[in-house]
Amino acid sequence: MNQTPVQTSGAVLCDPDGSLTRDLPLDREPVMLLATAVIALPTTGYTLPPQDCEQIARLLAGHARLVAEDVQALCAQLPRLSPLRPLTETVLGEARRRLSVNPRPTLASAQNRARVVRILYERLDRLQCLPPS
């Protein structure tokens, strides 16, 4: 018989200023799977419970803020006249605008945050592929 203890409960870390989690890598794969699944849900004829929608939206919003910080740091390293800078700044501005509104307990709110996560990761990937300047 396996003597490995099973974790039956967990603790939620509240770290709004990021001081405890700043150096931890983002867990991209499960968040992107969640974002893809939420975006794929039809907006009519299928409903998630409102509490689930709000929880998903909050999780995605928190993750999006962390990805936005990484994108902002890479954007700051771009040359001032880089053609990537205006688009990156536009993506960041739109993400900030969408994330400034509290999540609502609706599927549309969760899908909105999922799209923000997706676009921020697309921008992050684009910036990470650049050779060092």
Side-chain angles (χ1 to χ4, degrees):
M1 184 164 193
N2 188 348
Q3 296 298 321
T4 306
V6 176
Q7 182 176 352
T8 58
S9 66
V12 175
L13 175 66
C14 182
D15 184 24
D17 64 354
S19 61
L20 300 174
T21 57
R22 187 169 290 121
D23 297 326
L24 295 175
L26 294 175
D27 202 0
R28 179 179 182 160
E29 185 178 359
V31 172
M32 285 303 293
L33 288 172
L34 176 62
T36 300
V38 167
I39 291 169
L41 290 173
T43 54
T44 58
Y46 179 83
T47 58
L48 285 174
Q51 302 89 334
D52 291 353
C53 291
E54 186 173 9
Q55 186 65 31
I56 290 167
R58 289 187 184 285
L59 184 145
L60 292 170
H63 195 85
R65 285 184 183 93
L66 296 173
V67 178
E69 287 177 14
D70 290 349
V71 171
Q72 179 64 51
L74 290 172
C75 182
Q77 296 173 12
L78 290 172
R80 197 168 78 69
L81 298 177
S82 169
L84 294 175
R85 187 179 279 273
L87 179 56
T88 301
E89 290 172 346
T90 300
V91 167
L92 286 167
E94 180 64 16
R96 278 189 212 101
R97 186 185 67 75
R98 289 186 187 190
L99 295 172
S100 70
V101 178
N102 284 331
R104 294 185 1 237
T106 64
L107 178 58
S109 180
Q111 288 175 327
N112 181 292
R113 270 57 177 188
R115 289 184 187 97
V116 171
V117 168
R118 186 175 60 185
I119 192 96
L120 285 169
Y121 267 124
E122 288 171 2
R123 186 78 340 223
L124 182 67
D125 291 345
R126 178 71 176 103
L127 295 174
Q128 287 177 333
C129 288
L130 295 175
S133 52

